[in-house]
Amino acid sequence: MITFGGEGPPIVLLHGLMGRATTWWRVAGRLEPYGRVHGLDARGHGRGPRGGPWHTERFAEDVAAVLRTFGEPAVLIGHSMGGLHAWVTAATHPGLVRAVVCEDFAPDQRGRSVDDWRGYFESWPVPFRSLAHVREFFGETGDYFIECVEERKDGYHLIAALPDLYEIAAEWGRRDFWEYVERVQCPLLAIEGERTAMPLGQQAELAARVPGGLGRHIVVEGAGHVVHEEAPETYLGAVEAFLSDVIG
């Protein structure tokens, strides 16, 4: 875990598949007025622990272990895979979580093949020759991806191991996670990109199925999967308004 800064109630940022905590750098700076902002490298990512098991409940237990060190409930803000881990942690450890923000992840992706992920990853011109090459290749999300690579003798490579990523993503094609959505007991904000690759309608349903009317849903116009990089001001405006409600 890294601590970005700020004072007050804990806010923990959870990255997506192949990411790491430092991808949240710009977001973290804006959220520091609301609390003490931390970022967590998930198992198999960044400087997080290596080795499985690669199932969602294991990731949620890793998050819960960190939350227990704070002495008060935390706000969890997750992108993609991190959003899944956030609401599963909230469902399984309700006393540790004050609120959840989930950015662009759907609870039921059954039938999707990990081959879709494999083809995308293996199309990359690895090793990248420089960080500028990484930024150029990924375009509007280039600043995000330069945080996800490390330099080796022959150039820049993804920090996370591809076989691990395939196994993580394969689970999402085998099962759904609605049971956890329906056990969330805190406010939840679902932020969906207009150009999402997730099954349509599910993120609105995710918010609607949070018990007690505690779920909210917005769609960010023009944004794809990495909303906080592609439409940062709209994303931050929504998150800041949500934090003002749940933290004050």
Side-chain angles (χ1 to χ4, degrees):
M1 182 178 71
I2 65 172
T3 299
F4 292 102
E7 297 295 335
I11 299 170
V12 180
L13 307 177
L14 306 175
H15 61 77
L17 189 72
M18 71 190 157
R20 63 183 306 191
T22 53
T23 61
W24 289 108
W25 179 258
R26 286 186 291 185
V27 170
R30 285 281 293 269
L31 300 186
E32 288 176 8
Y34 297 90
R36 187 74 164 162
V37 184
H38 310 272
L40 181 63
D41 280 348
R43 180 175 297 272
H45 294 72
R47 300 296 174 241
R50 263 35 198 177
W54 303 113
H55 57 74
T56 296
E57 288 79 5
R58 174 68 265 180
F59 285 105
E61 289 302 317
D62 290 342
V63 176
V66 170
L67 302 189
R68 291 189 187 99
T69 68
F70 295 138
E72 63 177 304
V75 175
L76 296 180
I77 299 177
H79 167 238
S80 190
M81 176 187 78
L84 169 64
H85 296 169
W87 88 62
V88 172
T89 305
T92 53
H93 300 278
L96 298 177
V97 182
R98 182 192 299 260
V100 168
V101 177
C102 174
E103 176 189 348
D104 214 58
F105 198 87
D108 187 355
Q109 301 180 52
R110 286 176 295 176
R112 290 191 168 186
S113 170
V114 73
D115 289 338
D116 297 336
W117 293 91
R118 182 179 288 111
Y120 172 60
F121 290 150
E122 293 180 358
S123 71
W124 295 0
V126 176
F128 293 96
R129 295 188 296 277
S130 69
L131 292 177
H133 186 200
V134 175
R135 185 180 282 111
E136 178 184 69
F137 180 79
F138 290 105
E140 62 185 358
T141 55
D143 286 343
Y144 177 93
F145 279 100
I146 62 172
E147 299 289 346
C148 304
V149 298
E150 63 183 358
E151 187 174 16
R152 302 176 190 169
K153 289 183 178 180
D154 59 345
Y156 288 84
H157 294 256
L158 192 67
I159 297 173
L162 289 178
D164 296 344
L165 301 184
Y166 298 151
E167 191 167 346
I168 293 167
E171 182 195 38
W172 305 337
R174 295 193 300 265
R175 57 182 294 206
D176 72 84
F177 298 91
W178 287 116
E179 63 172 299
Y180 291 111
V181 175
E182 294 166 352
R183 290 164 55 190
V184 172
Q185 300 177 30
C186 63
L188 180 148
L189 172 64
I191 300 178
E192 179 176 0
E194 181 184 30
R195 296 184 286 108
T196 183
M198 295 291 133
L200 295 179
Q202 282 199 28
Q203 295 182 67
E205 185 179 356
L206 185 161
R209 287 171 68 167
V210 173
L214 293 174
R216 312 178 196 178
H217 169 251
I218 67 166
V219 176
V220 177
E221 183 177 352
H225 183 56
V226 191
V227 183
H228 68 273
E229 285 286 326
E230 298 172 52
E233 290 305 314
T234 304
Y235 170 88
L236 285 163
V239 172
E240 289 175 328
F242 181 69
L243 292 178
S244 294
D245 286 345
V246 299
I247 293 178

